[in-house]
């Protein structure tokens, strides 16, 4: 059965694959089974719940912590905190309500981890419907009861907010249920064990108790109960088997008696098999049905000591291409001849009179199936060997010459990926229920990135670890199963598909993954290594675009999940399950999109930089018209670009002089602005005026993903701060100046490309000064565009243009800093995505003037941060980030959140505000260019007093004046940026101050002229001019008051001339 048909099942416990040959026998199972003492005197088995019958809270917590970036072990530590009188134990004795528990527990976790911990979300996961009993335990309980023994569950559990006790088990499986919250007593209190024994009517020595916690087991053992420590349910069941003296699993794994509706005529089958196998006498034909295999019903047969498997088409009318068991038979037969390990197929019977439909028969093949891809219980070297064997067998499949084994017509030649994408897009569209933005982006992106060269080989189509049957004693693949999706195609799709588990969490309900495990510790090769291993074995060059193949594989899975979701909505599954499946589609499509983004960056980063480093200034001239949104512009006269007129080292005054990869990036950005940004402006502006304005616009979020995929992301981080290009695109300040100007032509582009203030300054601050822990906590989500941040310095009661005036206090208290202060004009603080406030305040009012201030990283969900009101700029709110007035009252922040150290706030502010502030100047040039372009278009088309406005002399003068002023300011911006690159921010202080003095006023004048040319329309929201004007004016404060920059320029001028 392929994944498609697995998903046809109605709930989330679908398994992915055929069970028909799968045998989950563990190493040493036989020894365990046959060496027990037999004839045991036990009369009951008592099970703990969490960690024995269902996953333990500790395990659930570990996964949840990874997914929520919470320090590992926080939850477990907090669960144990306070021992008997801690919140967890009191909760389990029902001494406190769920609400009180969550409050106390949340506080405890936050204190321990020094970060806010959303314990509600952990609690929801812990008690969610996804928590299910381990199948191996269900089977064991059935067998124990079938032998006449009693079963009990003895659980430390709690009451849910709906006043029901938390017991996600079928109570009918147990003769006795003892719950701590009902009794008001918890394990390891001996009274609760005695209560359980009393209800069972047994002596301690007559029972066996299974628990995962040492103290609970010790208390039971002290009473004389036999105990089994449960680390892994399957191993524990084996131990229990040995004690009880009978098997706890059904003979052939994953089988059951044949369902009434699935019965097949035994007599005609027996006759057929006798003929086929040449057998005369037989015992009775034993027939079982495999649990799964709903697509093609699959049966286990035992006849005359032969173990066989029969796989047939389902009854009824079938689609021509579906349930093609003939193909499965054909490929297995062909591949067996080519030395690929596959089950030994015996016969294909197309005569429907035997069992009602065509079928084929193969030998039953015992072996090990590793269902959990993290391979628990194995040594790292064994795990590596298993994955190497998997890789080797895949190479073996892909090395088969289709022609030589008669499979040349088994599928179409070439274009496998385009055909697959087309098929899955069609299937997705057919089952679409709502727009999933990641899917939309992928549908657009995939065809644009099809691999240029594709090989054609036999492909399995569903190649995963749990479709392989391994030898029980060595890392050798005995058989590759599930050939339903096999065809001829691009083999790299199989390689990528076999790495899905690398990127899925272990709690993923459909396919278990291990993205939350440490692969190095486990010994499992990373996906990249796995690809490398494959290429090496196949003698191929490294697969550079493997991210594309991963994106494609996850896209395909997402499309399948959507189909399942659609079907589940038709009523076959519970609504909770249906909702869960819907979320899975989105989750997987986002994973696919992450790979698309990585591929975008790879393409960009691998562009060769051909230009030599030169330190001379260059002016280039070539008359050239450059596009801007509403007309054409020719903003500079430049020479033909030559390799020396490049961005690395030389002053480049036109984008055409940039090095070729940066120039290509510039053009990509330009195209992106034209295709996506300008057309979205009206909608984005409407959102800012709507009732929903304090929530981020979904369109912005969508465009952010598009920008990411184009590699138009985090362009701002200067190479000098990030020389290894670890975090950003590695552009110089001067290269970025050209791109930043282009982004500045729209008010929305900077955020779309994750290049907007104040996040850029804060990210740079973290890159330059943050500790590794601070980077992990704050920088990464900011770089990913998942979080936003603000910078809090300005205070209403003091003149904040002089930072030494800042009065907010930062006081030490135990291992915390406590902050108190009143701030305003804090840009971005109202944004619901804002998670970090970079706070400036005084740690030591008695220190020298420039060492009194410090910078602290304050999580926005810390208690005591009170937003008083949003401020407006000429009536504009600038939602959703806004500019807030905020009170900080006794805000406690862990000491580790201090940046660099106490008293170093000034140093940081200078580092932060250097490049960050010149970005505003770069954008102001962009505002001005757009305003001038709009003006030119307008005056050409509008007629007053008998002739177009453009022919009025004053207009010509205004246009000329604006062009000249823009060019002057641009040159100064580029010069400042260039000096910052060559000599550092400090040496460029004069140029930085000069451009900050010049750019906002220049932009205000240029935009004002454009507004004037537009008439009253220029003041409206129909054009971006009014907003441009507002921000240009505001930047004469926000970027530091003009007077302060003038004072700096004058001071330096006087110093130099002295
Ligand atoms: C849209 C916007 C966004 C902002 N975002 C932030 C933010 O995110 N975080 C933050 O902390 N702050 C922010 N600010 C505040 C901004 O940084 C301050 O307004 C600026 O530093 C000036 O401080 P102030 O308003 O206290 O003016 P004051 O310090 O009171 O200065 C008032 C005026 O005095 C004059 N003056 C000052 N110094 C001199 C001098 N040396 N010589 C002559 N005259 C002088 C100037 O005319 C100046 O404008 C923002 C402001 C705006 C408008």
């Amino acid at each position: 059965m392929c994944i498609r048909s697995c998903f046809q099942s109605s709930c989330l416990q679908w398994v992915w694959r055929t069970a028909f040959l799968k045998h989950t026998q563990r190493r040493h199972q036989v020894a365990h089974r046959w060496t027990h003492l037999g004839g045991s005197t036990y009369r009951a088995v008592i099970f703990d719940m969490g960690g024995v019958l269902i996953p333990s809270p500790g395990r659930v917590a570990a996964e949840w912590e990874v997914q929520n970036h919470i320090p590992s072990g926080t939850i477990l530590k907090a669960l144990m905190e306070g021992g008997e009188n801690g919140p967890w134990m009191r909760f389990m004795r029902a001494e406190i309500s769920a609400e009180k528990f969550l409050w106390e527990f949340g506080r405890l976790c936050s204190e321990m981890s020094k970060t806010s911990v959303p314990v509600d979300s952990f609690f929801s996961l812990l008690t969610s419907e996804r928590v299910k009993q381990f199948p191996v335990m269900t089977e064991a309980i059935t067998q124990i009861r079938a032998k006449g023994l009693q079963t009990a569950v003895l659980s430390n559990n709690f009451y849910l907010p709906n006043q029901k006790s938390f017991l996600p088990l079928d109570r009918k499986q147990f003769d006795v249920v003892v719950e701590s919250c009902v009794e008001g007593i918890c394990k390891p209190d001996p009274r609760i064990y005695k209560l359980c024994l009393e209800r069972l009517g047994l002596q301690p020595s007559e029972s066996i108790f299974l628990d995962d916690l040492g103290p609970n087991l010790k208390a039971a053992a002290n009473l004389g109960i036999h105990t089994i420590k449960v680390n892994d349910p399957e191993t524990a069941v084996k131990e229990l088997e040995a004690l009880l003296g009978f098997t706890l699993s059904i003979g052939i794994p994953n089988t059951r008696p044949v369902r009434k509706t699935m019965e097949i005529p035994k007599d005609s089958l027996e006759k057929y098999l006798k003929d086929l196998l040449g057998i005369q006498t037989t015992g009775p034909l034993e027939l079982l049905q495999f649990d799964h295999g709903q697509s093609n019903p699959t049966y286990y047969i035992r006849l005359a000591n032969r173990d066989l498997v029969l796989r047939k088409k389902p009854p009824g009318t079938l689609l021509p291409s579906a349930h093609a068991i003939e193909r499965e038979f054909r490929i297995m037969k062909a591949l067996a001849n080519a030395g690929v390990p596959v089950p030994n197929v015996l016969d294909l019977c197309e005569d429907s009179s035997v069992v009602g439909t065509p079928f084929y028969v193969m030998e039953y093949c015992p072996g090990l199936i590793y269902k959990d891809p993290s391979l628990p219980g194995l040594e790292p070297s064994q795990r590596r060997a298993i994955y190497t064997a998997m890789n080797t067998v895949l190479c073996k499949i892909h090395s088969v010459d289709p022609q030589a084994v008669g499979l040349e017509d088994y599928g179409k030649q070439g274009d496998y990926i385009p055909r697959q994408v087309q098929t899955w897009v069609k299937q997705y569209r057919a089952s679409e229920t709502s727009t999933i933005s990641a899917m939309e982006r992928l549908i657009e992106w995939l065809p644009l990135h099809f691999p240029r060269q594709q090989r054609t080989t036999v492909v399995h189509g569903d190649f995963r670890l749990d479709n392989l049957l391994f030898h029980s004693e060595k890392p050798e693949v005995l058989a590759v199963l599930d050939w339903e999706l096999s065809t001829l195609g691009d083999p790299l799709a199989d390689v990528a598909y076999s790495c899905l588990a690398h990127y899925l969490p272990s709690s993923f309900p459909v396919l278990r993954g291990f993205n939350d495990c440490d692969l190095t510790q486990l010994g499992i090769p990373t996906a990249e290594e796995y690809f490398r291993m494959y290429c090496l074995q196949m003698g191929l060059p490294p697969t550079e675009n493997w991210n594309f193949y991963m994106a494609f594989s996850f896209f395909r899975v997402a499309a399948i999940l959507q189909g399942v979701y659609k079907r589940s909505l038709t009523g076959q599954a519970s609504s909770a399950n249906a909702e869960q499946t819907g979320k899975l589609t989105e989750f997987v499509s986002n994973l696919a999109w992450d790979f698309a983004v990585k591929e975008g960056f790879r393409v960009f980063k691998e562009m060769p930089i051909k230009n030599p480093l030169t330190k001379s200034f260059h002016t280039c001239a070539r008359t050239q018209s450059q596009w801007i949104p509403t007309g054409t512009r020719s903003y500079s006269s430049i020479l033909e670009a030559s390799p020396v007129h490049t961005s690395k080292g030389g002053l480049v005054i036109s984008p055409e002089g940039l090095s070729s990869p940066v120039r290509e990036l510039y053009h990509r950005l330009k195209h992106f602005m034209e295709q996506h940004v300008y057309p979205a402006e009206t909608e984005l502006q409407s959102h800012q005026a709507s009732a929903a304005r304090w929530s981020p616009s979904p369109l912005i979020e969508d465009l952010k993903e598009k920008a990411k995929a184009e590699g138009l992301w985090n362009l701002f981080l200067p190479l000098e701060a990030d020389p290894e290009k670890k975090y950003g695109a590695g552009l110089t300040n001067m290269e970025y100046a050209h791109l930043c100007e282009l982004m500045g032509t729209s008010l929305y582009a900077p955020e779309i490309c994750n290049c907007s203030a104040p996040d850029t300054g804060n990210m740079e601050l973290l890159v330059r000064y943050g500790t590794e822990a601070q980077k992990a906590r704050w920088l990464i989500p900011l770089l990913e565009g998942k979080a936003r941040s603000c910078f809090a310095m300005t205070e209403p009661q003091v003149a904040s243009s002089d930072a030494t005036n800042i009065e907010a206090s930062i006081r030490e208290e135990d291992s915390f800093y406590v902050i108190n202060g009143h701030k305003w004009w804090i840009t971005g603080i109202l944004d619901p995505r804002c998670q970090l406030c970079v706070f400036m305040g005084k740690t030591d009012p008695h220190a020298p003037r420039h060492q009194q201030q410090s910078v602290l990283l304050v999580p926005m969900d810390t208690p005591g941060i009170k937003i008083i009101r949003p401020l407006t700029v000429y009536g504009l709110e600038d939602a959703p980030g806004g500019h807030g007035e905020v009170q900080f009252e006794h805000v406690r922040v862990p000491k580790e959140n201090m940046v660099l150290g106490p008293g170093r706030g000034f140093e940081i502010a200078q580092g932060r505000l250097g490049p960050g502030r010149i970005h505003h100047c770069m954008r102001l040039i962009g505002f001005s260019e757009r305003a001038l372009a709009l003006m030119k278009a307008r005056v050409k088309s509008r007629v007053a007093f008998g002739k177009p406005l453009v022919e009025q002399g004053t207009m010509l003068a205004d246009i000329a004046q604006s062009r000249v002023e823009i060019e002057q300011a641009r040159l100064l911006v580029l010069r400042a940026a260039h000096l910052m690159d060559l000599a550092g921010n400090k040496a460029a202080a004069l140029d930085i101050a000069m451009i900050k003095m010049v750019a906002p006023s220049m932009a205000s004048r240029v935009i004002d002229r454009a507004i004037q040319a537009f008439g009253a329309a220029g003041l409206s929201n129909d054009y971006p001019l009014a907003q441009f004007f507002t921000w240009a004016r505001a930047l004469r404060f926000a970027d530091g008051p003009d007077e302060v920059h003038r004072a700096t320029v004058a001071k330096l001028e006087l110093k130099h001339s002295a």
Side-chain angles (χ1 to χ4, degrees):
M1 179 170 68
C2 71
I3 54 169
R4 235 177 331 172
S5 31
C6 290
F7 285 128
Q8 282 160 1
S9 169
S10 62
C11 73
L12 285 178
Q13 293 138 303
W14 299 294
V15 280
W16 274 58
R17 38 160 207 82
T18 322
F20 69 98
L21 298 172
K22 297 181 180 178
H23 191 95
T24 49
Q25 188 181 15
R26 284 200 154 252
R27 211 170 287 251
H28 309 311
Q29 176 182 356
V30 175
H32 270 298
R33 189 169 290 172
W34 301 115
T35 55
H36 67 78
L37 299 171
S40 84
T41 53
Y42 298 112
R43 293 173 57 199
V45 180
I46 307 171
F47 296 88
D48 166 41
M49 184 169 70
V52 174
L53 296 175
I54 60 172
S56 69
R59 189 179 148 190
V60 177
E63 288 163 9
W64 178 86
E65 282 166 349
V66 172
Q67 279 159 16
N68 290 279
H69 309 290
I70 303 295
S72 153
T74 303
I75 295 280
L76 203 58
K77 232 163 69 195
L79 288 177
M80 280 153 47
E81 180 71 14
E84 282 299 296
N85 293 320
W88 180 236
M89 293 301 265
R90 282 189 288 131
F91 183 39
M92 289 195 295
R93 291 194 298 264
E95 289 165 11
I96 53 173
S97 65
E99 199 184 12
K100 177 102 195 294
F101 163 71
L102 286 174
W103 185 80
E104 281 189 32
F105 189 62
R107 220 186 39 180
L108 201 59
C109 290
S110 300
E111 272 171 22
M112 283 178 165
S113 63
K114 316 222 177 331
T115 179
S116 76
V117 179
V119 289
D120 283 4
S121 118
F122 164 67
F123 191 68
S124 306
L125 178 67
L126 183 70
T127 56
S128 73
E129 276 189 29
R130 285 167 47 194
V131 176
K132 296 274 191 250
Q133 187 166 312
F134 297 123
V136 65
M137 287 293 177
T138 311
E139 220 170 78
I141 292 168
T142 313
Q143 298 292 90
I144 293 166
R145 287 167 68 92
K147 291 280 179 191
L149 275 73
Q150 292 188 78
T151 52
V153 61
L154 170 53
S155 170
N156 279 1
N157 65 347
F158 45 82
Y159 280 117
L160 294 164
N162 63 8
Q163 296 312 314
K164 285 193 182 150
S165 64
F166 174 64
L167 199 84
L169 308 170
D170 179 359
R171 286 178 183 255
K172 291 202 275 315
Q173 301 172 100
F174 306 100
D175 300 282
V176 167
V177 174
V178 181
E179 298 174 83
S180 66
C181 61
V182 175
E183 309 303 336
I185 318 170
C186 272
K187 289 177 287 182
D189 187 327
R191 288 178 297 163
I192 199 160
Y193 301 86
K194 286 181 188 159
L195 194 69
C196 183
L197 290 169
E198 203 179 297
R199 289 184 188 164
L200 285 166
L202 296 178
Q203 293 302 311
S205 60
E206 291 174 307
S207 58
I208 303 171
F209 173 60
L210 288 86
D211 200 305
D212 59 328
L213 299 178
N216 293 352
L217 291 164
K218 200 169 158 202
N222 286 344
L223 291 172
I225 303 174
H226 195 101
T227 59
I228 293 178
K229 170 116 171 63
V230 181
N231 294 320
D232 154 60
E234 292 190 17
T235 315
V237 166
K238 295 287 159 255
E239 217 176 301
L240 186 60
E241 261 182 358
L243 278 178
L244 291 174
F246 53 85
T247 177
L248 293 178
S249 64
I250 307 167
I252 302 294
N254 305 313
T255 56
R256 55 159 73 205
V258 179
R259 282 197 200 107
K260 271 257 164 300
T261 52
M262 296 284 191
E263 276 174 0
I264 48 175
K266 273 190 179 179
D267 291 349
S268 57
L269 176 62
E270 192 170 335
K271 182 176 174 313
Y272 160 82
L273 288 173
K274 277 183 183 170
D275 288 350
L276 177 72
L277 304 169
I279 310 168
Q280 295 307 318
T281 53
T282 63
L285 181 143
E286 201 184 320
L287 195 63
L288 292 168
Q289 187 187 342
F290 283 98
D291 283 339
H292 315 299
Q294 293 173 5
S295 161
N296 294 323
T298 309
Y299 302 83
Y300 164 80
I301 302 166
R302 190 165 169 79
L303 183 71
N305 288 334
R306 295 288 296 265
D307 295 311
L308 305 168
V309 173
L310 179 149
R311 189 155 157 88
K312 71 188 274 291
K313 288 188 186 229
T317 323
L318 305 175
L319 290 171
S321 64
H323 311 280
I325 59 151
E326 302 84 355
R327 279 174 66 83
E328 287 180 33
F329 179 82
R330 179 182 170 196
I331 192 154
M332 284 198 268
K333 203 165 175 60
L335 292 181
N337 292 336
V340 175
V342 283
N344 186 17
V345 287
L346 301 175
D347 189 40
L348 171 70
C349 175
E350 294 182 277
D351 176 358
S352 295
S353 69
V354 182
V355 296
T357 63
F359 64 95
Y360 67 91
V361 180
M362 58 195 145
E363 280 177 0
Y364 176 78
C365 182
L368 282 174
I369 297 277
Y370 295 107
K371 289 183 176 180
D372 184 337
S374 69
L375 301 174
L378 296 192
E379 294 296 314
S381 59
Q382 292 174 314
R383 293 195 187 99
R384 194 166 186 87
I386 293 287
Y387 275 89
T388 308
M390 177 179 179
N391 203 293
T392 306
V393 83
L394 187 57
C395 293
K396 217 169 202 169
I397 297 169
H398 294 166
S399 303
V400 170
D401 175 357
Q403 203 157 8
V405 295
L407 289 174
E408 65 274 21
D409 59 348
Y410 192 65
K412 289 188 182 143
Q413 295 278 342
D415 281 343
Y416 172 72
I417 298 282
R419 277 185 286 111
Q420 281 278 307
V421 169
Q422 206 178 15
T423 306
W424 291 110
V425 169
K426 221 158 104 189
Q427 298 231 9
Y428 171 72
R429 290 287 186 225
S431 57
E432 200 175 354
T433 47
S434 63
T435 305
I436 298 175
S437 52
M439 287 303 269
E440 295 306 317
R441 291 193 296 268
L442 285 160
I443 291 169
E444 231 177 85
W445 183 88
L446 285 165
L448 297 175
H449 294 80
F450 283 146
R452 263 183 237 130
Q453 283 175 343
Q454 289 174 46
R455 287 180 304 134
T456 299
T457 68
V458 169
V459 290
H460 181 276
D462 195 12
F463 193 80
R464 289 175 291 113
L465 187 65
D466 61 349
N467 271 335
L468 304 181
L469 195 77
F470 277 87
H471 195 288
S472 60
E473 297 300 328
K474 50 184 176 184
E476 184 188 318
V477 177
L478 296 177
V480 182
L481 314 174
D482 281 4
W483 290 90
E484 197 176 345
L485 288 180
S486 61
T487 182
L488 296 185
D490 184 341
L492 291 177
D494 267 352
V495 189
Y497 198 77
S498 55
C499 292
L500 292 181
H502 281 74
Y503 300 96
L504 291 166
S506 49
S507 55
F508 195 71
V510 186
L511 169 65
R512 204 175 178 147
F514 48 75
N515 79 343
D516 35 9
C517 300
D518 180 342
L519 291 194
T520 322
Q521 216 169 33
L522 288 178
I524 296 176
T526 61
E528 219 164 342
E529 278 176 275
Y530 186 84
F531 263 90
R532 267 205 303 274
M533 201 189 277
Y534 172 86
C535 292
L536 210 68
Q537 291 206 52
M538 293 294 289
L540 298 169
T543 310
E544 289 179 336
N545 59 343
W546 65 276
N547 281 317
F548 169 85
Y549 285 94
M550 292 307 307
F552 162 70
S553 295
F554 276 113
F555 170 74
R556 193 179 125 181
V557 174
I560 293 169
L561 284 168
Q562 182 59 29
V564 178
Y565 177 51
K566 177 79 185 281
R567 281 193 296 279
S568 70
L569 289 179
T570 58
Q572 291 160 18
S574 74
S575 58
N577 277 333
E579 198 186 314
Q580 282 297 333
T581 320
K583 285 186 185 149
L584 294 183
T585 310
E586 209 161 332
F587 176 82
V588 172
S589 61
N590 281 327
L591 270 181
W593 184 248
D594 284 347
F595 283 102
V597 168
K598 282 186 207 154
E599 179 61 9
F601 273 107
R602 182 194 69 82
V603 172
F604 170 60
K605 284 192 172 169
E606 287 183 6
M607 285 174 175
I609 294 173
K610 296 187 192 114
N611 312 294
L613 194 78
T614 110
K615 289 210 169 184
S616 57
F617 289 148
H618 296 276
T619 42
C620 323
R622 182 183 64 181
T623 310
Q624 172 163 328
S625 70
Q626 310 254 353
W627 183 93
I628 86 151
T630 51
T632 55
R633 77 175 164 118
S634 171
Y635 68 69
S636 61
S637 293
I638 40 178
L639 276 175
E640 187 67 55
S642 78
V644 284
H645 299 145
T646 60
S647 51
K648 303 277 175 201
L651 174 64
V652 176
I653 61 165
S654 149
E656 296 310 312
L658 293 166
S659 66
S660 74
V662 183
R663 195 168 59 233
E664 193 278 333
L665 182 66
Y666 179 89
H667 287 290
R668 196 138 33 98
L669 175 64
K670 197 166 160 204
H671 182 70
F672 183 78
M673 299 283 295
E674 289 161 15
Q675 289 290 305
H676 299 293
V677 181
Y678 304 126
E681 283 180 334
T682 313
E683 188 178 333
L684 294 173
Q685 201 182 47
S686 308
H687 180 81
Q688 283 192 306
S690 74
R693 65 190 180 282
W694 295 106
S695 312
S697 145
L699 179 56
I700 283 265
E701 294 305 311
D702 186 42
L703 290 172
K704 275 161 74 173
E705 293 304 328
K706 283 200 166 98
K708 255 190 214 173
E710 295 283 331
L712 301 170
W713 192 253
N714 291 338
L715 305 173
F716 66 92
L717 206 56
L719 187 59
E720 151 266 319
D722 175 30
E724 290 166 18
K725 301 189 192 178
K726 213 166 143 191
Y727 304 109
L731 299 177
T732 63
N733 282 297
M734 191 193 52
E735 287 167 334
Y736 180 59
H738 291 283
L739 287 118
C740 187
E741 175 187 324
L742 187 53
M743 283 187 257
T745 58
S746 169
L747 288 162
Y748 304 100
E751 182 184 348
I752 290 168
C753 298
N754 214 35
C755 290
S756 57
D759 297 310
T760 44
N762 292 337
M763 287 188 260
E764 196 177 330
L765 178 149
L766 287 163
V767 170
R768 284 180 194 271
Y769 310 115
T771 62
E772 285 313 308
Q774 288 168 349
K775 283 179 190 165
R777 174 85 175 87
W778 304 113
L779 177 63
I780 303 307
L782 283 170
L783 285 169
E784 287 173 352
K786 290 184 180 148
R788 300 217 63 189
S789 62
C790 62
F791 183 74
M793 182 183 79
T794 306
E795 296 175 0
Q797 71 281 14
V798 294
S800 303
S801 48
D802 176 359
T804 61
N805 284 343
I806 298 305
E807 285 180 343
S809 81
I810 304 180
R811 194 171 36 81
E812 266 187 72
E813 201 179 283
D814 308 325
S815 54
F816 286 84
Y817 284 111
V818 178
I819 59 181
N820 280 288
H822 187 179
K823 303 273 180 188
W824 75 342
W825 289 105
I826 310 309
T827 301
I829 199 160
L830 291 117
D831 194 316
R833 296 163 299 179
C834 183
Q835 291 180 14
L836 168 68
C837 173
V838 179
F839 185 92
M840 188 146 165
K842 252 183 199 164
T843 28
D844 183 0
H846 309 294
R849 245 178 124 218
H850 290 96
Q851 288 162 28
Q852 295 177 2
Q853 313 286 351
S854 305
V855 166
L856 261 187
L857 303 177
V858 183
M860 277 302 295
D861 56 0
T862 318
I865 304 178
K866 292 186 185 137
I867 296 176
I868 299 167
R869 61 174 173 148
L871 297 155
T872 57
V873 182
Y874 287 144
L876 287 179
E877 291 170 318
D878 202 15
H883 310 278
E885 181 173 347
V886 197
Q887 193 75 44
F888 290 80
E889 285 174 5
H890 306 294
V891 178
R892 282 165 70 82
V893 183
K895 273 194 169 166
E896 304 84 86
N897 287 21
M898 174 68 72
V899 184
L900 273 188
R904 302 187 66 178
F906 244 86
E907 200 180 319
I908 297 166
Q910 273 169 357
R912 181 189 180 280
L913 298 178
R917 276 187 174 176
I918 152 172
H919 293 171
H920 279 311
C921 301
M922 298 167 179
R923 283 189 282 266
L924 284 163
I925 311 284
F927 283 13
S928 310
E929 280 293 358
R930 179 102 183 260
L932 181 56
L934 286 167
M935 177 183 175
K936 288 189 291 185
R938 177 82 171 186
V939 296
K940 279 188 207 156
S941 65
R942 212 149 161 96
V943 176
F945 301 104
K947 53 183 177 182
L949 289 176
V950 74
E951 288 176 25
Q952 314 285 350
T954 57
M955 288 295 168
L956 293 173
D958 280 355
I959 289 170
Q961 189 63 32
S962 291
R963 167 54 58 216
V964 170
E965 288 182 9
I966 293 173
E967 294 300 330
Q968 288 172 334
R970 178 184 292 114
L971 280 173
L972 204 48
V973 168
L974 291 171
R975 202 180 95 131
H978 187 48
L979 264 180
M980 284 158 75
D981 291 331
L982 294 185
N985 298 348
K986 211 168 162 195
L990 174 63
D991 286 65
I992 294 172
M994 284 199 293
I995 188 57
K996 284 203 269 190
M997 200 182 120
V998 165
S1001 331
M1002 177 283 297
S1004 298
R1005 287 193 303 275
V1006 170
I1007 300 162
D1008 190 49
R1009 285 185 203 113
I1011 290 174
Q1012 196 64 21
F1014 261 75
L1019 298 172
S1020 74
N1021 272 347
D1022 291 359
Y1023 300 93
L1025 295 172
Q1027 270 181 300
F1028 281 157
F1029 184 81
T1030 304
W1031 297 124
R1033 182 65 188 84
L1035 283 170
R1036 292 177 61 195
F1037 295 116
D1039 214 8
D1042 289 356
E1043 290 77 6
V1044 175
H1045 303 314
R1046 269 188 224 137
T1048 308
V1049 173
K1051 207 164 83 191
L1052 291 170
E1053 177 67 23
L1054 288 166
K1055 197 169 154 191
H1056 290 160
S1057 62

